Amino acid sequence: MDILLGILRAILFVVVAYAVVFVAALVNILYERRFMAFIGDRLGPNRTGPQGALQSIADAFKMMGKEDFRPLLADPVLFTLAPVMVMIGAVSIQLVLPYTQGFLAIDLNIGVIFLVAITSFTTLSILMGGWASRNKYSLVGGLRAAAQMISYEIPMLLSLLIVAMIVGSMRVSDIVAFQAHYEWIGFYAPFTFLIFYISSIAELNRGPFDLPEGESELVAGYATEYSGMRFGMFYLNEYAGLTIMSMVIVTLFFGGWMGPWADAITWLGVSWIGLFWFLVKTYILVTALIWIRFSIPRLQVDQLMAFAWKILIPLGLVNILATAAIILWVPSWKWGLAVFSWVVFFAFVGLFDPILKWRLRKQRERQPVVSA
Amino acid sequence: MLGMFKAMRQTMSHLPKKKITVQYPEQREVLPARSRGLFRVVIDPSSGDPRCRSCTLCESNCPVQVIRVNHTSKYRLPVPNAARISEARVAAQQGIDIKHLQPVLDDYYEHGTGLIAMLQNAQDVYGYLPRVALQEISLQTGVSLSQIYGVSSFYNQFRLSPVGEYIIDVCHGTACHVAGAVQITEALEEELGIADGKTTTDMKFTLSSVACMGACSQAPVMRIGDQTYGGLTPDQTRKIIRDLMDEVGGEKG
């Protein structure tokens, strides 16, 4: 009986995870298109359904109706497998994320490590797709994606370690429980949050880090040879990733499902107000991601890698050492950590531009100006 | 990083701004009074052919001279071989030298003039539009002969039959009519032995009546070639035409 219940529970959570992926992708695509249009002083798609609400669904049906095309020389196994595998990351991450009180699939004691490990599946499948397509643009796009995602996983992991150090546990439900009474880790460690947020944008392959599919250089990057629903899977994953990554950030830094009257309505052992707060926080972060994408221009490849390896990783390492020292030796370490992290946060934000400008000027002075 | 915040503030400031999208079918912008929209060639739904006959009236009427008609037929004639071309030329040739047409066609190639301008020039060369000339224009420009015939038969200014050396135009405008233009025409018909609108058999004179010549103060008026005669009486007219017939050796009938 227990086994049967366990299987039913597993099926339920997988179905929910898939539903979240599909619904989030459809919602986010429409949300992003309309947000982008409004930023550009346009209206965006508003004809299909009320205010264009059914546009994404129409697009999805269009995609399913397209021809399932595979290039003749493409690797048949990898080419078919890549779009299937790309969903693994987005779906499995949700299994350790508490949507709300009492609505969590598995409370892993190494949840944080699971998060990082499972994210790499996306990298793998993108690389597979790029490799199997037998197309130079796809290959370059796939390799770029691999390089970028592996590079940015390191600062991400360093930030995750700080969260684990602060909480003293790698269990995701412990991390949420630590943040009760509005003691959000995002307030204690804003600099860590900043690093995590920047890395997560790069992990999602979104602007300003959307080089793997930089259409001005690479046609459509790793997805060049994909069409129809196979392309749709990559597309779905990319847009569902917005919500999933924001859910992770909310869980780690902004108190998860905690909020005013989070426990007020409990039905079937699940607190529904908590779910509401979880979604509200998630969508604030999704909005920020979209907003950033349409505000900041795309980086160059060398700038992208330099930003990870020369700035984020050293700063992350320094940050992890300093945080560890504060937790170890400062008596009221929460306050010490907050002061340290806010100071570094403002220093980073304020000094980034002047230092960059200074370095660029120095570089220009060093290089002789070659005139034609 | 502050620069990025600046960029983000900029984008956010556009969010609540008024949108420039016009929801087209429901919402239409008021066009400026002088707007004429997009010019395009109307397609005849029954045949799929353009209704444009490349008459170039639009070209000559355009006040700012932006219209340029370069007609090429969609239905190119099947390219006849050289033998058939020469055969067709010989068959159509009735004492008409096709060489005189060449400058007109060269002008067409050089300046891309419209069909009507070309036909006008061709008529200046021959005095009318012989079939062989139309055929030559058709062969060299690719406009089908039927279209050329359509244009040349539509406009009054084109004549498809030969005219005399001297064209006698008698004004039949209101003033001239009141002053006795009918009698003038009758006198001329009697002297030349031909009806109004016909040509003498020796190809010397063509008699025609035209609408107002703009010389009402001298009514009734007659014009022979470039020479205009005013204040005519039937007797004066007879004298003029007899003198001219003697001069050029024309014969009655």
Side-chain angles (χ1 to χ4, degrees):
Chain A
M1 195 63 207
D2 273 358
I3 297 168
L4 203 65
L5 271 178
I7 291 170
L8 276 177
R9 201 179 131 83
I11 290 171
L12 171 73
F13 274 100
V14 170
V15 166
V16 167
Y18 268 102
V20 167
V21 165
F22 282 105
V23 171
L26 293 182
V27 169
N28 288 350
I29 290 167
L30 179 70
Y31 185 39
E32 181 172 85
R33 288 180 67 181
R34 299 235 47 193
F35 199 94
M36 161 173 68
F38 268 66
I39 281 177
D41 288 347
R42 298 179 292 114
L43 282 176
N46 64 346
R47 292 298 168 114
T48 325
Q51 285 297 308
L54 301 175
Q55 182 67 46
S56 302
I57 295 164
D59 284 346
F61 276 109
K62 178 203 75 178
M63 251 178 193
M64 281 187 251
K66 279 191 178 178
E67 188 192 350
D68 185 20
F69 177 77
R70 199 186 66 218
L72 190 67
L73 290 175
D75 187 321
V77 178
L78 289 186
F79 191 84
T80 321
L81 206 57
V84 180
M85 261 186 64
V86 83
M87 303 298 279
I88 289 178
V91 172
S92 324
I93 279 184
Q94 295 178 62
L95 298 182
V96 293
L97 284 183
Y99 298 114
T100 176
Q101 173 78 49
F103 202 58
L104 167 63
I106 323 153
D107 204 4
L108 275 183
N109 56 355
I110 48 156
V112 171
I113 291 178
F114 181 81
L115 280 180
V116 180
I118 218 73
T119 322
S120 309
F121 267 98
T122 316
T123 321
L124 187 60
S125 52
I126 284 175
L127 188 54
M128 264 163 65
W131 175 263
S133 299
R134 280 254 184 158
N135 178 320
K136 54 183 178 292
Y137 297 116
S138 299
L139 183 59
V140 173
L143 288 177
R144 267 191 190 181
Q148 169 184 336
M149 290 169 90
I150 289 168
S151 302
Y152 278 88
E153 238 164 54
I154 299 166
M156 202 172 175
L157 189 63
L158 294 175
S159 323
L160 269 177
L161 279 181
I162 290 174
V163 174
M165 279 196 309
I166 292 171
V167 177
S169 165
M170 285 194 175
R171 199 182 285 267
V172 178
S173 60
D174 283 351
I175 293 174
V176 177
F178 179 86
Q179 304 180 72
H181 315 298
Y182 306 104
E183 290 185 21
W184 294 353
I185 295 176
F187 295 159
Y188 282 123
F191 184 56
T192 313
F193 162 68
L194 191 64
I195 291 180
F196 192 92
Y197 200 62
I198 292 169
S199 322
S200 67
I201 296 173
E203 282 290 300
L204 291 170
N205 291 331
R206 281 182 64 81
F209 303 113
D210 52 352
L211 291 142
E213 42 195 314
E215 54 281 311
S216 52
E217 304 151 7
L218 289 178
V219 190
Y222 55 86
T224 304
E225 292 291 356
Y226 281 97
S227 61
M229 205 52 215
R230 290 183 209 224
F231 172 73
M233 298 294 262
F234 282 116
Y235 200 59
L236 276 181
N237 175 65
E238 193 185 321
Y239 278 89
L242 279 181
T243 298
I244 310 291
M245 197 52 92
S246 299
M247 280 177 171
V248 172
I249 294 169
V250 165
T251 309
L252 294 177
F253 291 98
F254 294 107
W257 48 268
M258 302 280 188
W261 308 289
D263 294 323
I265 302 172
T266 306
W267 183 56
L268 297 171
V270 171
S271 97
W272 296 93
I273 304 266
L275 188 65
F276 169 72
W277 287 121
F278 189 63
L279 286 177
V280 166
K281 289 174 188 173
T282 302
Y283 267 84
I284 288 170
L285 284 178
V286 169
T287 309
L289 279 172
I290 294 171
W291 181 15
I292 286 168
R293 176 175 175 186
F294 294 113
S295 302
I296 301 169
R298 187 181 287 155
L299 270 71
Q300 290 170 21
V301 184
D302 58 325
Q303 290 170 348
L304 177 94
M305 299 309 274
F307 188 62
W309 289 95
K310 291 183 182 168
I311 298 175
L312 285 186
I313 292 176
L315 280 177
L317 285 169
V318 170
N319 191 27
I320 207 169
L321 284 176
T323 310
I326 288 167
I327 291 173
L328 261 185
W329 293 316
V330 176
S332 57
W333 59 270
K334 278 187 179 176
W335 284 105
L337 191 62
V339 170
F340 164 76
S341 205
W342 276 107
V343 167
V344 179
F345 177 83
F346 281 118
F348 183 73
V349 167
L351 293 178
F352 190 84
D353 283 2
I355 290 175
L356 198 68
K357 275 178 194 161
W358 176 70
R359 274 187 59 92
L360 281 175
R361 207 183 309 125
K362 235 175 59 175
Q363 264 179 11
R364 224 171 287 138
E365 278 164 10
R366 220 182 298 134
Q367 286 170 350
V369 178
V370 180
S371 58
Chain B
M1 209 132 293
L2 287 175
M4 292 179 198
F5 291 139
K6 218 164 124 189
M8 287 169 73
R9 201 179 64 208
Q10 175 72 24
T11 49
M12 196 44 99
S13 74
H14 275 266
L15 206 56
K17 274 191 184 165
K18 198 180 172 295
K19 305 301 168 209
I20 57 166
T21 310
V22 178
Q23 303 265 324
Y24 171 61
E26 298 95 36
Q27 198 182 338
R28 294 184 187 211
E29 285 199 336
V30 180
L31 293 170
R34 284 183 61 82
S35 169
R36 291 292 176 270
L38 180 72
F39 291 105
R40 65 191 175 94
V41 174
V42 181
I43 302 294
D44 189 346
S46 61
S47 63
D49 283 345
R51 281 231 168 103
C52 174
R53 288 189 170 283
S54 24
C55 67
T56 67
L57 278 181
C58 54
E59 192 177 309
S60 51
N61 282 344
C62 179
V64 285
Q65 294 168 1
V66 294
I67 301 178
R68 202 65 195 267
V69 179
N70 283 324
H71 184 94
T72 46
S73 175
K74 192 169 70 171
Y75 304 104
R76 286 204 158 271
L77 292 175
V79 180
N81 53 36
R84 278 186 56 204
I85 289 180
S86 60
E87 204 175 282
R89 277 176 187 162
V90 169
Q93 210 148 2
Q94 301 153 337
I96 286 160
D97 197 352
I98 219 78
K99 270 189 231 116
H100 298 310
L101 196 61
Q102 206 51 48
V104 177
L105 288 162
D106 290 345
D107 189 53
Y108 164 79
Y109 284 122
E110 211 168 305
H111 300 111
T113 49
L115 184 59
I116 287 206
M118 194 161 46
L119 290 175
Q120 278 169 342
N121 292 348
Q123 183 162 284
D124 286 348
V125 172
Y126 296 111
Y128 73 109
L129 290 173
R131 187 192 156 90
V132 58
L134 297 186
Q135 201 165 7
E136 189 66 21
I137 289 171
S138 165
L139 284 172
Q140 295 212 21
T141 58
V143 184
S144 68
L145 189 57
S146 61
Q147 271 198 357
I148 294 177
Y149 180 75
V151 172
S152 49
S153 59
F154 179 79
Y155 293 105
N156 273 330
Q157 56 174 312
F158 294 122
R159 292 180 294 266
L160 292 166
S161 51
V163 288
E165 202 174 321
Y166 293 89
I167 298 163
I168 304 169
D169 291 327
V170 182
C171 178
H172 277 254
T174 314
C176 294
H177 184 82
V178 171
V182 182
Q183 282 85 344
I184 303 289
T185 302
E186 277 172 2
L188 284 169
E189 280 173 356
E190 203 171 300
E191 284 303 315
L192 294 166
I194 50 170
D196 189 13
K198 292 287 191 290
T199 306
T200 51
T201 43
D202 59 357
M203 291 302 211
K204 288 286 180 193
F205 298 101
T206 298
L207 180 59
S208 73
S209 48
V210 296
C212 188
M213 282 186 192
C216 303
S217 57
Q218 303 174 28
V221 183
M222 162 179 87
R223 188 172 63 199
I224 303 178
D226 297 334
Q227 188 72 39
T228 308
Y229 303 87
L232 294 169
T233 60
D235 287 345
Q236 269 179 331
T237 314
R238 283 170 205 274
K239 190 178 178 308
I240 291 166
I241 199 70
R242 270 183 210 154
D243 288 352
L244 190 63
M245 280 165 78
D246 289 346
E247 195 184 313
V248 300
E251 282 180 16
K252 194 173 170 180

